[in-house]
Amino acid sequence: VGGDSIFLRVWDMNTERCIQTFASGADGPTTCLSSMSSDSGAEYLVSGGTDQIVRLFDHRVSREGDKDPDLKLEGHSAPLIAVEPLLNSNVDNQLISGASNGEAKIWDIRTRKAIKTIAVHKERMTAMVLHRYAPVLATGSDGHVINIHSTTGELGNTIRYHDGFLGQRIGPVCSLSLHPLKLILAAGATDSIISIYSQ
């Protein structure tokens, strides 16, 4: 759990208890959270926020009064809206982050450097989701556009209109979700319509 707080909290959903607390170390609100494993066995809590920095905290390390993350990834020039592990790659040490300026970066956490930058939108990006198993990245913007990219950066499809004869333009996108196993995308927009798209 993040938010406009200086703490990140990990909760056990079965017992409904907080089991770990991290000081975020961020200069602003935490806007996105995820978790990932590395090939070295580390289990990381990954956070991003309005200060444009991706932070990784190792679950195995005690954090009594420690405000510094285990890893910091810097290079974005706008607030972050999503951080996700790149599970569909051959390497366990990569993650992808997306910023509101329409830029996504793929990071190698071993080198702490961005290995690829993808320009996914020209307008303000408001949502980003990565498929768990397929190399598919879906992004949405307040410019009434959903883009489907591969994780290598190629644009596969653009969605601007609802289906049907004389389909109206989609509203500004506020949320996206991909089915964990199938290539099915759900999109929510400020026009109060939830759309489901398939291959």
Side-chain angles (χ1 to χ4, degrees):
V1 177
D4 194 7
S5 168
I6 61 169
F7 296 108
L8 305 174
R9 292 184 172 86
V10 180
W11 293 78
D12 181 331
M13 296 305 292
N14 292 324
T15 62
E16 298 180 2
R17 295 182 57 200
C18 179
I19 57 172
Q20 202 166 14
T21 300
F22 299 98
S24 72
D27 292 335
T30 299
T31 55
C32 48
L33 288 170
S34 189
S35 63
M36 72 177 289
S37 301
S38 73
D39 58 5
S40 66
E43 293 281 335
Y44 290 110
L45 172 67
V46 186
S47 73
T50 57
D51 64 356
Q52 309 161 12
I53 299 171
V54 179
R55 291 175 171 82
L56 289 89
F57 300 88
D58 192 338
H59 287 287
R60 304 170 301 174
V61 178
S62 175
R63 297 253 166 233
E64 295 293 325
D66 186 7
K67 292 185 179 177
D68 292 328
D70 294 290
L71 297 171
K72 280 169 101 173
L73 307 175
E74 300 183 60
H76 279 290
S77 57
L80 298 173
I81 60 160
V83 288
E84 296 282 340
L86 203 58
L87 298 174
N88 51 44
S89 69
N90 295 330
V91 186
D92 286 337
N93 296 302
Q94 294 179 353
L95 64 88
I96 189 165
S97 58
S100 61
N101 64 351
E103 189 175 81
K105 289 184 180 288
I106 298 176
W107 301 88
D108 186 330
I109 63 171
R110 295 169 299 185
T111 62
R112 300 179 189 192
K113 293 190 171 137
I115 56 176
K116 183 178 272 287
T117 300
I118 307 166
V120 292
H121 282 284
K122 292 183 178 118
E123 53 284 304
R124 188 172 76 92
M125 185 164 58
T126 54
M128 184 181 98
V129 65
L130 180 69
H131 196 277
R132 183 172 292 202
Y133 298 108
V136 174
L137 174 69
T139 58
S141 76
D142 61 1
H144 309 260
V145 175
I146 298 170
N147 284 335
I148 313 294
H149 282 81
S150 72
T151 52
T152 57
E154 291 86 26
L155 178 63
N157 202 352
T158 298
I159 301 167
R160 290 188 176 92
Y161 297 94
H162 292 290
D163 280 343
F165 182 67
L166 299 176
Q168 69 185 29
R169 187 151 176 125
I170 64 173
V173 179
C174 55
S175 62
L176 295 170
S177 182
L178 281 162
H179 188 281
L181 302 174
K182 300 177 183 177
L183 292 176
I184 297 174
L185 171 69
T190 59
D191 60 3
S192 302
I193 297 175
I194 297 172
S195 304
I196 307 224
Y197 304 96
S198 63
Q199 258 179 305

